[in-house]
Amino acid sequence: MNEVVVPSPAKVNLFLEIIGRRPDGYHDIASIMQLVDLCDEVRLRRRRTGIRVEVQGAELPAGRGNLAYRAAALLLEAAGVEGGVEIHLEKRIPVAGGLGGGSSNAAAVLIGLSRLYGLPWSREALQKLGENLGSDVPFFLGDGLALATGRGEILTPLSAWPPQWLVLANPGLPISTAWAYREASSKLTEWQPRVSIPSFPLGGRPQWPPVWAFNRLESVVLPHRPEILALKHLLQEAGGAPVLMSGSGASVFAVVSDAVSAHQLAAQAEKSGAFAAAVTTLTANPMWEARG
Ligand code: ATP
């Protein structure tokens, strides 16, 4: 196989609690993550040697600073592949937006490269390798809906809902995840973690709409970023419920009942100058259906 195209979807955090800081500097979290159908495209082509990354649609480094590059370097080395890869990224997911675009691209490269070189790596083996690239990478190799614990790499799969409509909106300011967690870390004694989430039966399907939606990072990010709060209010006043920041922001998402409301609300958010998209939740992970 000479070329593989892998869709690389975004995620939203329907629930995100920070349990505490760990000796290794990471935080223990409990998060429910859901894939949505806003996708970057990752195209991989064989090259005789070396890794080349080309990015369209966003300003991102082409070398080791790009998670796609790092994912390719890690797998080529770990699998002892003699050969290289050319990676073309078509970015549609807002960068540093709490939607996991970088981790998703890294996961897409792991799957794409395995296909390209016919590597006999299981999903679990790729997930284990992916942990070295970022805590969310194993989730992006999963089935699309999971409870993530530990630093985000321990996954309990949850059974999917039928596709549900959401509106994603981003005011166009990047938020550093490291900064958000540092802020949260300094306030850890101020809250009692919501470790028990009453309305989601683990191993089953949590209730929809997610009235239990919650993101601890809102309390540290929103006071510093009134633009995100304003966007949240816009979506709430237009009928989204619940409306929540995803990850460390700056993206927010609104749960809506149908396609018409989703497109109307996305258009309204766009008018305010934000990036906005009407999306649906995914019931399976499209990365595993990569085209050769
Ligand atoms: P996270 O919560 O995992 O930090 P995020 O969703 O907030 O992620 P990303 O879009 O994944 O944000 O980007 C996080 C950082 O990773 C950015 O600073 C960006 O420059 C860097 N990065 C490296 N490679 C990529 C990539 N392929 N796509 C997006 N960002 C990338």
Side-chain angles (χ1 to χ4, degrees):
M1 192 176 287
N2 266 325
E3 183 177 292
V4 184
V5 183
V6 189
S8 179
K11 58 83 179 158
V12 291
N13 300 82
L14 295 167
F15 184 92
L16 174 56
E17 178 60 292
I18 302 169
I19 313 292
R21 202 177 144 82
R22 303 158 33 133
D24 62 7
Y26 288 100
H27 291 85
D28 275 317
I29 63 162
S31 182
I32 295 191
M33 298 202 277
Q34 167 71 65
L35 291 182
V36 297
D37 67 355
L38 172 67
C39 296
D40 290 340
E41 186 183 86
V42 180
R43 188 177 288 266
L44 301 101
R45 244 183 244 126
R46 275 191 196 226
R47 283 166 68 88
R48 217 171 309 178
T49 125
I51 301 165
R52 215 184 101 100
V53 176
E54 197 185 280
V55 186
Q56 244 170 20
E59 302 247 332
L60 284 171
R64 289 204 72 82
N66 197 305
L67 276 157
Y69 183 105
R70 287 217 289 280
L74 188 66
L75 184 55
L76 288 173
E77 164 80 24
V81 172
E82 285 188 23
V85 64
E86 191 175 306
I87 303 169
H88 181 90
L89 298 180
E90 178 81 43
K91 293 294 296 182
R92 297 181 198 124
I93 305 170
V95 171
L99 299 173
S103 305
S104 176
N105 293 172
V109 166
L110 295 181
I111 292 177
L113 253 187
S114 305
R115 295 283 304 274
L116 205 58
Y117 279 100
L119 304 176
W121 285 55
S122 66
R123 179 197 297 240
E124 291 71 26
L126 290 179
Q127 283 177 316
K128 198 76 208 144
L129 191 73
E131 282 177 26
N132 301 300
L133 296 160
S135 309
D136 289 350
V137 175
F139 166 76
F140 282 102
L141 293 160
D143 283 328
L145 176 64
L147 169 71
T149 52
R151 60 183 175 96
E153 85 289 15
I154 303 170
L155 301 172
T156 307
L158 301 171
S159 42
W161 294 286
Q164 304 288 342
W165 283 96
L166 304 176
V167 175
L168 301 184
N170 183 297
L173 53 135
I175 300 282
S176 152
T177 305
W179 166 79
Y181 274 92
R182 268 199 311 276
E183 284 288 305
S185 217
S186 66
K187 298 187 167 66
L188 275 176
T189 50
E190 292 175 19
W191 68 73
Q192 197 59 12
R194 301 185 183 196
V195 272
S196 78
I197 305 147
S199 42
F200 66 81
L202 291 180
R205 179 195 286 169
Q207 181 187 348
W208 194 273
V211 288
W212 41 268
F214 172 77
N215 183 348
R216 179 63 70 185
L217 288 171
E218 282 195 339
S219 63
V220 296
V221 175
L222 296 184
H224 292 275
R225 296 287 189 276
E227 301 91 332
I228 306 176
L229 191 59
L231 198 51
K232 211 183 146 182
H233 286 156
L234 183 152
L235 296 176
Q236 273 165 337
E237 279 155 25
V243 178
L244 196 72
M245 188 176 83
S246 182
S248 52
S251 301
V252 291
F253 65 92
V255 174
V256 293
S257 54
D258 55 68
V260 175
S261 323
H263 287 101
Q264 276 172 355
L265 190 48
Q268 202 173 331
E270 256 175 6
K271 260 194 228 146
S272 78
F275 160 89
V279 302
T280 62
T281 59
L282 289 169
T283 55
N285 188 342
M287 288 191 195
W288 294 105
E289 284 132 47
R291 287 177 283 130

